[in-house]
Amino acid sequence: MKISTIETKSYVTKSNLPASDYVINPYVGCPHGCKYCYACFMKRFTGHDEPWGTFIDIKKCDKPLNPKQLTGKSVFLSSVTDCYNPYEKEYGITRKILEQLTAIDCELSISTKSNLILRDIDLLKQCKNLKISMSINTLDEQFRMDMDNASSIAERLQTLETLHKNGICVVLFMSPIFPELTDWQAIIERSKDYIDEYWFENLNLRGAYKSTILDYISSNYPNYYDIYKNIYIKGNKDYWVKLSNDIEKYCVQSAINHINYFYHKELVEAKINKTK
């Protein structure tokens, strides 16, 4: 792992994400190294030539957060890194940011794949309007290990349950959903007693990791390769349309609180057009 320290003028960045006004990324890069991570595009702007998941920049900023800037706004921690990656144990950048956010009346969302977030439960309970999401797209631990270096599925589920028991709103972010591999109903049934909301997002393949994932499917799940080829090479969207409808029907019938982000690209474009 290549570790560097960089200076930044501000941790806060204006966001184009559909559900956030601002994003905060305490680190550049992410040791979790998810094979499907869209954030690997960051290498184009940071000058890193190392493979994604093998470098991390520790961002240092002396400027405190501006309460006037964030009050009444939606803030997302984090969009292109995991703010609770393993190096947070040593550097504590996220905790220092969180200490400031507890005093700011904003709508705060935190996304992570790490049970390290439980370290900060004292601060999390002080936040006025907080929602924590944890990505889980499988109950198969071998598949999880093939895809990322983050906390195990059991650890993630336990983390969500612990946060819920402490009065914190928790989201199970089923993302990315892998065609035929993500048993979304089983994940809901396993976790529904302590999940406040489910988010769903389909697997998007683009850039360098498209071939990585397709090669993985071809080698490990060859019986599904034609389905992936139809979706990601031929561009057929029928699979996602049907799955989106199935999820919607199931959640409505089961009174499951949920948001469907299958059409994330369209949501982003709508937000951009709205601000023009």
Side-chain angles (χ1 to χ4, degrees), residues 213-222 225:
I213 296 299
L214 291 179
D215 288 347
Y216 172 84
I217 297 298
S218 178
S219 298
N220 294 273
Y221 300 95
Y225 184 73

Side-chain angles (χ1 to χ4, degrees), residues 144-155:
R144 195 282 305 168
M145 289 189 292
D146 289 346
M147 289 294 119
D148 68 58
N149 301 316
S151 294
S152 69
I153 298 303
E155 289 170 334

Side-chain angles (χ1 to χ4, degrees), residues 3 7-8 58 75 148:
I3 305 171
E7 298 290 334
T8 184
I58 316 300
V75 181
D148 68 58

Side-chain angles (χ1 to χ4, degrees), residues 41-180:
F41 78 89
M42 288 293 293
K43 289 175 58 178
R44 299 201 303 265
F45 309 104
T46 62
H48 288 280
D49 55 12
E50 304 89 351
W52 183 255
T54 66
F55 67 88
I56 187 166
D57 293 342
I58 316 300
K59 294 169 74 172
K60 299 286 188 177
C61 180
D62 295 329
K63 181 182 177 182
L65 301 184
N66 183 354
K68 290 184 179 180
Q69 180 187 25
L70 301 181
T71 296
K73 302 297 184 180
S74 54
V75 181
F76 180 39
L77 185 74
S78 303
S79 60
V80 290
T81 187
D82 193 317
C83 55
Y84 284 102
N85 69 77
Y87 291 90
E88 168 63 17
K89 290 181 183 179
E90 178 180 355
Y91 294 96
I93 307 298
T94 298
R95 184 169 177 86
K96 292 175 184 176
I97 292 171
L98 197 57
E99 286 171 346
Q100 299 178 66
L101 285 171
T102 58
I104 300 175
D105 189 8
C106 64
E107 182 182 324
L108 178 61
S109 296
I110 302 176
S111 181
T112 183
K113 290 182 179 177
S114 172
N115 61 355
L116 178 59
I117 193 172
L118 293 178
R119 179 203 63 185
D120 293 341
I121 200 165
D122 59 323
L123 296 176
L124 298 172
K125 291 168 71 172
Q126 297 177 43
C127 293
K128 299 176 179 62
N129 190 353
L130 172 65
K131 186 176 288 186
I132 295 175
S133 62
M134 187 159 282
S135 298
I136 297 175
N137 66 353
T138 184
L139 296 177
D140 181 344
E141 186 60 17
Q142 182 58 58
F143 177 72
R144 195 282 305 168
M145 289 189 292
D146 289 346
M147 289 294 119
D148 68 58
N149 301 316
S151 294
S152 69
I153 298 303
E155 289 170 334
R156 296 183 206 183
L157 291 170
Q158 183 199 20
T159 298
L160 288 167
E161 184 172 14
T162 299
L163 292 168
H164 176 79
K165 288 180 178 178
N166 278 272
I168 296 169
C169 181
V170 294
V171 174
L172 192 155
F173 191 14
M174 211 174 298
S175 171
I177 293 177
F178 274 69
E180 301 301 310

Side-chain angles (χ1 to χ4, degrees), residues 223-234:
N223 51 319
Y224 295 144
Y225 184 73
D226 284 345
I227 295 174
Y228 280 73
K229 182 179 178 181
N230 192 40
I231 297 171
Y232 297 109
I233 296 178
K234 296 182 178 180

